[in-house]
Amino acid sequence: MNTSISMIKLIEAMNDQPIAFNKHYVFIGCGINGALMLSQLVYWTARTKNSDGWIYKTQHDWTMETGLTRKEQENARKRLKDLGFLKENKRGVPCKVYFKVERENLYKALIEYSESLDLSQY
C-alpha cells in the first residue's frame, strides 16, 4: 500500500507544473522546440519587472522548465533569432544571457499566419 501511495504522490508532483505551449508558433517557422521556448519567453516577458522586457534564465532554468537539452536550446534560440523573434544580450562577469521577445516581429508573423487560416475550421 505504501508503494501505491508513494507512486500516486510522485505522479501528482509530476503533473503539478505543466507549461503552456502555443502550437501556432510551430506554424510560423519556430519548430517544436522553438515554439516551446518562445511560449515560455512570452509567458515570462509578461511577468518581468524589467520595463524593456528583458528576462534572464540559465541553461539549467530552461532545462528544468521545458526539458530541452543544451543543444536543443541552442538550436531553438538560433531559429528564433533568425526569424527575428528573439534578441539576446550578454552581460556581466561571469557572462549572463538575457532574452527579449521581439514582439512586433512576432505579432506581424502571427497576423500573416492568421490571414492564411481557414476560419471555417474554428
Side-chain angles (χ1 to χ4, degrees), residues 8-106:
I8 290 169
K9 286 183 178 182
L10 173 63
I11 292 169
E12 287 175 353
M14 290 169 58
N15 288 320
D16 189 39
Q17 293 182 325
I19 61 174
F21 172 81
N22 188 330
K23 71 177 182 180
H24 299 288
Y25 296 160
V26 175
F27 304 125
I28 60 172
C30 297
I32 296 290
N33 293 341
L36 179 58
M37 185 170 256
L38 185 56
S39 295
Q40 283 301 98
L41 284 162
V42 168
Y43 173 85
W44 287 113
T45 296
R47 288 153 180 80
T48 184
K49 291 182 171 114
N50 182 282
S51 61
D52 293 327
W54 290 95
I55 64 167
Y56 168 71
K57 291 209 170 287
T58 65
Q59 176 197 324
H60 179 73
D61 293 337
W62 284 114
T63 298
M64 295 309 295
E65 280 185 29
T66 64
L68 295 174
T69 65
R70 177 181 178 171
K71 181 103 172 135
E72 289 169 332
Q73 290 172 41
E74 290 170 354
N75 290 337
R77 287 168 48 200
K78 181 181 182 332
R79 179 173 266 176
L80 294 175
K81 288 187 288 186
D82 289 348
L83 289 167
F85 301 156
L86 177 65
K87 259 190 177 177
E88 293 182 1
N89 188 345
K90 296 178 181 177
R91 305 179 202 162
V93 178
C95 183
K96 293 180 179 182
V97 181
Y98 289 79
F99 304 92
K100 181 178 179 179
V101 175
E102 290 292 341
R103 289 183 272 194
E104 188 172 316
N105 294 340
L106 175 60

Side-chain angles (χ1 to χ4, degrees), residues 2 5 80 112:
N2 282 344
I5 292 171
L80 294 175
E112 287 176 19

